[in-house]
Amino acid sequence: MIPKVKYLPPSQGKISPISDGIALALSAYCGGNPISYLLSTVSGFANSTAYELFFRLGIPFDVQSFTSEECEAIEKEIHRFATAYHNDLFAPCSDGKDFYLFPYTYNGQSYTSHPNFNCAVDELCSEKDRLTRLKTHGKRIATAIKSAETKAERLIKNGYLKLEECKNADQFRLYGDILTCNLGKVKKGATKALLFDYENGQEISIPLDGKLSPVENAQAFYKKYAKQKRTIEFVKVQLEEQKELLEFPK
């Protein structure tokens, strides 16, 4: 970081895994959690590596003290672990979540072997990148699907409201037919007309626009009827389409 100044790693208050003195430090262990004690004593160790070390040496994970032979064996194996890149332990591998200098056997995990450590790192990172991209695209697709569902539900709701508004379309046709048959009985400027309904055999009151002539009122009723019939046909098709969209398997 600074020119001509030798870099020294920050002190952790722990023993280096490639230095002597580990056996002596471990001999002071007098109960508790041996894994935690090892991690607090030797630097550069992960929890899983400590378990693997004990497993390979046949030392129980809950041992309450170390014999002198076990201390010496642990120190020797730690040195071997720390220099795995240069000894017979070296066997680059990955488990889909992490990469290792050699397989860990304590947990029965299966590993994929690689010709070198770079391949192990590259394959794992590439797979993580692929999964990240897949997850990102998956979220986008899920968002798009949710948006489409929301839109479909809104269109369906509005469609039923439109159908409700147009449910009396035939009434406008009937008004137009009755007016057309009784043009001579309706005075211009009238706001309603009491006329005989031939379909139902009774008189009905027809509301009129006083600004329009009887013919224009009849034409206005026919236009309303035609518009609402077109709306009904369009809405029914749209409802079927939106229902099929919601029922489409995800």
Side-chain angles (χ1 to χ4, degrees):
M1 298 297 290
I2 302 176
K4 298 182 181 180
V5 176
K6 183 179 180 180
Y7 171 77
L8 295 174
S11 175
Q12 295 182 326
K14 300 180 182 180
I15 303 172
S16 169
I18 58 174
S19 65
D20 297 328
I22 295 176
L24 180 61
L26 292 177
S27 65
Y29 172 65
C30 56
N33 187 323
I35 300 296
S36 298
Y37 185 80
L38 178 64
L39 296 178
S40 65
T41 303
V42 183
S43 65
F45 254 72
N47 198 62
S48 58
T49 308
Y51 275 104
E52 180 65 15
L53 173 71
F54 279 45
F55 181 78
R56 285 176 178 253
L57 294 175
I59 299 175
F61 298 146
D62 58 353
V63 66
Q64 295 302 297
S65 64
F66 298 119
T67 65
S68 58
E69 290 79 8
E70 287 175 334
C71 289
E72 293 294 336
I74 292 173
E75 180 178 293
K76 183 178 179 180
E77 194 68 2
I78 287 176
H79 288 169
R80 188 163 173 257
F81 276 23
T83 58
Y85 191 82
H86 303 288
N87 60 47
D88 61 337
L89 267 180
F90 187 62
C93 61
S94 62
D95 62 359
K97 297 179 180 179
D98 209 342
F99 43 83
Y100 306 85
L101 286 175
F102 53 88
Y104 285 8
T105 56
Y106 79 95
N107 55 7
Q109 176 69 44
S110 60
Y111 297 87
T112 300
S113 299
H114 300 280
N116 56 62
F117 198 60
N118 284 344
C119 287
V121 175
D122 182 62
E123 180 172 311
L124 183 67
C125 291
S126 297
E127 179 63 12
K128 285 186 176 181
D129 180 64
R130 185 188 72 81
L131 292 175
T132 299
R133 290 176 182 272
L134 183 62
K135 185 176 181 180
T136 299
H137 291 318
K139 285 184 177 179
R140 291 175 182 172
I141 293 172
T143 300
I145 291 175
K146 182 61 179 177
S147 177
E149 288 179 341
T150 301
K151 182 180 179 181
E153 290 169 352
R154 184 177 69 253
L155 289 174
I156 289 173
K157 180 180 179 181
N158 292 339
Y160 281 122
L161 291 175
K162 283 289 184 182
L163 290 179
E164 181 66 21
E165 292 173 2
C166 299
K167 68 179 182 179
N168 295 321
D170 288 334
Q171 188 71 30
F172 293 125
R173 177 194 57 78
L174 179 63
Y175 286 167
D177 290 346
I178 295 174
L179 274 177
T180 300
C181 294
N182 296 277
L183 292 177
K185 297 180 180 180
V186 181
K187 295 181 180 180
K188 186 176 181 179
T191 57
K192 65 178 180 179
L194 187 63
L195 300 172
F196 187 76
D197 178 2
Y198 296 99
E199 288 188 7
N200 299 306
Q202 61 184 12
E203 287 189 333
I204 61 172
S205 178
I206 300 176
L208 302 173
D209 185 342
K211 297 178 182 178
L212 302 178
S213 67
V215 172
E216 290 173 334
N217 268 291
Q219 291 175 342
F221 283 132
Y222 285 135
K223 286 181 180 179
K224 288 181 180 179
Y225 166 73
K227 181 179 180 180
Q228 291 196 356
K229 290 296 285 185
R230 289 195 300 270
T231 299
I232 290 172
E233 292 174 1
F234 173 78
V235 169
K236 284 183 176 180
V237 172
Q238 188 179 64
L239 284 174
E240 288 300 319
E241 292 176 348
Q242 300 309 314
K243 286 179 181 179
E244 287 181 6
L245 178 63
L246 289 179
E247 293 170 359
F248 191 82
K250 302 177 182 63

